[in-house]
Amino acid sequence: MTAKFGVLGPLQITGHDGRWLRLRGDRQRALLAMLLFHANERVPAERLVDALWPDIPPKSYASNLHTYVSRLRDRLGDTLIDHAGPGYRLRVADADLDLLTFRTAGESGRAALRRGDAETAARHLRLALDQWRDHPLADLTLPALDAEVARLEIERLTVFEDWVEAELAEGRHAELLGELQSSVAANPLRERLVGQLMRALRGAGRQADALAAYRTARATLVEETGLEPGTGLRAVHAEILRGEDPADEWPIRQLPADIRVFTGRDHAVDELTTLLADHDGLPVVLTGEPGVGKSALAVRVAHRLETAFPDGQLYAHLAGATTPRPVGDVLADLLRGLGVTGPGIPDDVQAKAAVLRSRLARRRVLLVLDDAADPGQVRPLLPGTPSTAVLVTSRRRLSGLINAHRVTVGSFTDAEALDLLATMAGSRVTADQDGARRIAAACGNLPLALRIAGTRLALRPQLRLTTLADRLEDERRRLDELSVSDLQVRAGLALSYAALTAPARATFRLIGAAASTNVPAWAITVLQDGAAGEEAVDELVESSLLQPAADDACGEPRYAIHDLVLTFARERLIADDGPAVCEGAAARLLDAILAVADLLGRDLPKVFPALELDVPVPAPPLPEESLARYCADPTGWFAIERPSLVAGIGLLATIGMHRQAARIFERLARYLWPQGSYADLRTCASALAEAGRTAGDERVEVWAEVVAARVLHVRGRYADAVGKYRWCADRLGTDRPALAWVLTNLADCLTGLGVPEEALELTDRAAALSTEDAVAATRSAALNRLGRPAESVRVDTDALAAARESADPRAVAGALQSLSWSLALTGELDRAASAAQEAVALLRGTTARRALARSLRTLGAIQAGRGEREGALAAFTECRAIAEEINEAPRVLSSRRAIAASWVGDGRAGEAVVELAACVAAYREMGSASSAAITLRLLAAAHEADGEPDDAGEARAEADRLADPRDSNARALTALLMPLTRVPGPSLSAH
């Protein structure tokens, strides 16, 4: 006798002697559960490790896993667990595992049902259902199997429905009612179940109860999902009605129930209410992509307008997204709703339309036409009388309805999305706002997707928001996760896709190769590769699968696509055309981006060492008019495409195209650096450095690390930057310009750390390798730290003369800034102020945000020293705002320090003490002893003003210990800032 196992309930093991076996330890039980759920299949070792240690596995996980398997073999005796490649497999017969028995019996039952053998089908399906004892693995928490358990629950429900179908075919209506009613109560959105209950009730002679079941189900569907019952359930309802007509009394109220969980849309509700209440006889068309909540919004507005239409509200579902209903059938339904019966309903469509117009003449009625397929389906239904208003919903724009009022429904705002999740899932959403925001983002704020996610959370109280967010963020399984009962985002999108022409479907699939949800018109042209043209794009817009967006700053038309729609397009591209076509389309788009970035970035000022790579660059394949727009404004193009370029560089770096990525990044960096976009620079540099290491491409790796070092430098992480600069310098070899650049920046970093002697030596080495003017400013800073400001003035004067010859405003501004500070250190404050003001004025006309912040900081210090308190504080405040925006810590700190010093003069010494002490701590962490010493002297002044002389003395003593007596830079800056602590006057908040 072999062991038998059960997973359809608490984990159960029956040994060879028929006695129950109990396993010790949750990990051993989890291991067995994983193997049983994949019985007779290889389960990879890494998947078993993830299941047993869902957080961080121990270093000995491999040996631990082997030990658990060995113990399990010993415990189970003859049950075979073999080593299958890098994993394990448990061999078990179908009859010895309830899960396998369930699936085998279920398939046999379905096969019998297809043959028409209901009796055999019922027997097999009942056997399958009898295997279930409780929720699968009810006594075991195993997140690794959550998705499979959820799918298994749905599979069980399907088998139950198949069994009911077999039983109904055998005429056992009354016997089914108890189980059916219980199942419908647990799954009220399952339309097949509801239909089976209605048929069972009718078969048991309870026709009124059957109709009541339909009304209840319809109200629940509309309330919970905003959708009407499907064609199948409506067909069962029609059969039971047997042709009975509704009452013909006014007012007529045919609207579906208003959805209970309705959030947001305040502006749209107000707009539609106004349009319909003050109607002019023209239809109002509510359009939007699948799942955006058009029907729910229409029903909400129609209910709100009940008093405005005292004669009633008619409702017709046109089924445009599935099988559009014939216009004649819709007209007949509307006429029956208006009390026209039998011979009063003509056969001819036009005659029916005429009767409808006659019945509605002089009546104040609102007609809601839900889910229209096209204008031809709508036109015969329009009453054409000013007393009747018409609200139409459709996935298509229905452009053929001339003069109609159109309102486009978009996705929820972030706040509306979180509100809906909170309404459906309760306090968990409030408690885990981060998880809720991630869920909303993965759903693209699409109402249908959010309702599905909210329903899943409501049905599974133990499901953590972060767990669901993790699943939804996996693009490969996102659409699988967004399904509950018979609601699916994928199914809704598939209906719209199927209605497209072949060229539009092909274009839609190719857009799936894009990495962005906002694409320019030229990108779609490139993806089409000369195939279908503008007509296909127009059709996608008409079908609401693509939305026109505002032209970009360069005047190029752009289109928006919802991220879930983009995921569906990519699915279809891979499934219908294959990975090769997907890769080809992506390659065309990436080649185009590389070509445009290379062309437009050539003339932007270089900011990092040149990176010459043997990467072929194709000619830009853009339409001539698009390319002309971008060539007229290169920085505008980089600003527009920055997010796509950053994402594309990361993608290229991971798929073996790191040299192409580096070529694009070298051009993009010329835009990012002046903007102070350090986060993007770091992201791209990290991806390229890793790709270069993996590929053994030291040239790319070192260049990327050079960029990373510079980002560390400007963010105030001097010690880390020095280490990376030295690493790069050791590997640059014969690349003289790059080595000079690295040595110059290493020198600047060392000056900040208080090592000006080595910094000066490095500038000598750098100057011998390159003629770049950047060496001058770094040399000037080192000389100032060594107490040689007169020499600095000479260096800066020569650099300014060379910069003015170049006529480059950024170069001139940089030289002016350095000269202004050297002049300030020699006491020539008037000349210093003039130079600093010119630097600021020049930089305001550029995108060089970092350089502007630096010049403002210099100007602020000089003005403070001249007693121009108001101007100084304005300069420091603007500097701080820019530095915070680009996350440049040294500038933020120096601005905070100056503004806090002004508080002392304003009589706010206590607040100044707290702020200045925080600045001291930050400078210490940064490793800048000189800056810490300057701040300590200002802190001493604050302590004195606050009546704390002992604390003031300690601060001065510590400043003396840290200060370098040669550092004229620190002495001068302290002297310039100190008047802020003494002169009362208006100041600006440092927070």
Side-chain angles (χ1 to χ4, degrees), residues 394-410:
S394 178
R395 298 184 180 197
R396 302 180 68 83
R397 294 173 62 84
L398 303 184
S399 301
L401 290 181
I402 308 301
N403 295 327
H405 301 289
R406 285 181 175 78
V407 176
T408 300
V409 186

Side-chain angles (χ1 to χ4, degrees), residues 288-646:
E289 60 199 346
V292 82
K294 300 180 292 295
S295 296
L297 176 57
V299 171
R300 166 54 60 99
V301 170
H303 276 286
R304 184 169 172 175
L305 286 167
E306 181 176 334
T307 57
F309 295 95
D311 291 322
Q313 295 143 314
L314 292 170
Y315 176 88
H317 188 265
L318 306 186
T322 51
T323 305
R325 295 185 63 198
V327 176
D329 291 353
V330 177
L331 282 166
D333 284 350
L334 290 172
L335 291 175
R336 279 192 289 268
L338 292 170
V340 182
T341 60
I345 300 177
D347 293 332
D348 180 69
V349 170
Q350 294 303 323
K352 287 188 179 83
V355 175
L356 177 66
R357 290 193 295 272
S358 175
R359 292 287 290 178
L360 292 177
R362 296 178 301 279
R363 292 283 187 179
R364 292 281 291 168
V365 172
L366 172 62
L367 172 58
V368 179
L369 302 175
D370 195 12
D371 192 17
D374 53 49
Q377 191 188 27
V378 173
R379 286 193 194 98
L381 305 175
L382 299 178
T385 58
S387 62
T388 299
V390 180
L391 176 59
V392 186
T393 75
S394 178
R395 298 184 180 197
R396 302 180 68 83
R397 294 173 62 84
L398 303 184
S399 301
L401 290 181
I402 308 301
N403 295 327
H405 301 289
R406 285 181 175 78
V407 176
T408 300
V409 186
S411 295
F412 276 161
T413 64
D414 292 344
E416 289 173 335
L418 292 179
D419 190 26
L420 176 58
L421 284 176
T423 303
M424 299 187 71
S427 59
R428 280 187 293 165
V429 173
T430 305
D432 186 1
Q433 288 281 295
D434 181 62
R437 278 191 287 268
R438 289 172 57 202
I439 291 171
C443 291
N445 286 0
L446 189 70
L448 174 59
L450 288 164
R451 288 187 183 281
I452 292 171
T455 300
R456 293 194 64 181
L457 291 169
L459 293 175
R460 298 186 62 188
Q462 78 280 9
L463 179 61
R464 295 193 306 168
L465 271 69
T466 52
T467 301
L468 181 57
D470 290 341
R471 295 173 183 171
L472 291 174
E473 286 171 347
D474 183 348
E475 188 176 287
R476 295 167 299 179
R477 62 188 291 189
R478 183 178 301 167
L479 293 178
D480 290 325
E481 291 291 334
L482 289 176
S483 64
V484 62
S485 187
D486 54 354
L487 292 179
Q488 292 187 0
V489 171
R490 182 187 284 112
L493 294 171
L495 292 172
S496 292
Y497 172 74
L500 299 172
T501 62
R505 285 200 300 271
T507 298
F508 177 73
R509 293 195 301 272
L510 288 168
I511 292 173
S516 173
T517 57
N518 187 285
V519 293
W522 67 259
I524 299 177
T525 302
V526 169
L527 288 167
Q528 287 176 321
D529 197 22
E534 294 182 0
E535 294 81 2
V537 175
D538 290 342
E539 186 177 349
L540 293 176
V541 171
E542 179 70 19
S543 300
S544 298
L545 291 171
L546 202 62
Q547 300 288 342
D551 290 357
D552 62 32
C554 293
E556 177 74 2
R558 298 185 75 87
Y559 296 93
I561 182 170
H562 195 282
D563 52 1
L564 292 178
V565 178
L566 183 64
T567 299
F568 178 75
R570 191 173 296 122
E571 270 191 6
R572 292 267 47 90
L573 178 61
I574 294 172
D576 297 355
D577 301 293
V581 173
C582 181
E583 291 169 6
R588 287 197 301 275
L589 189 55
L590 289 170
D591 281 347
I593 291 172
L594 171 60
V596 177
D598 188 73
L599 175 66
L600 300 184
R602 288 175 190 171
D603 296 330
L604 295 181
K606 293 180 181 178
V607 293
F608 294 105
L611 179 64
E612 300 299 332
L613 297 170
D614 54 344
V615 177
V617 180
L622 277 65
E624 290 184 8
E625 59 272 19
S626 298
L627 195 58
R629 292 189 190 103
Y630 296 139
C631 286
D633 185 11
T635 57
W637 181 80
F638 279 109
I640 294 161
E641 299 298 343
R642 179 190 58 78
S644 297
L645 291 171
V646 172

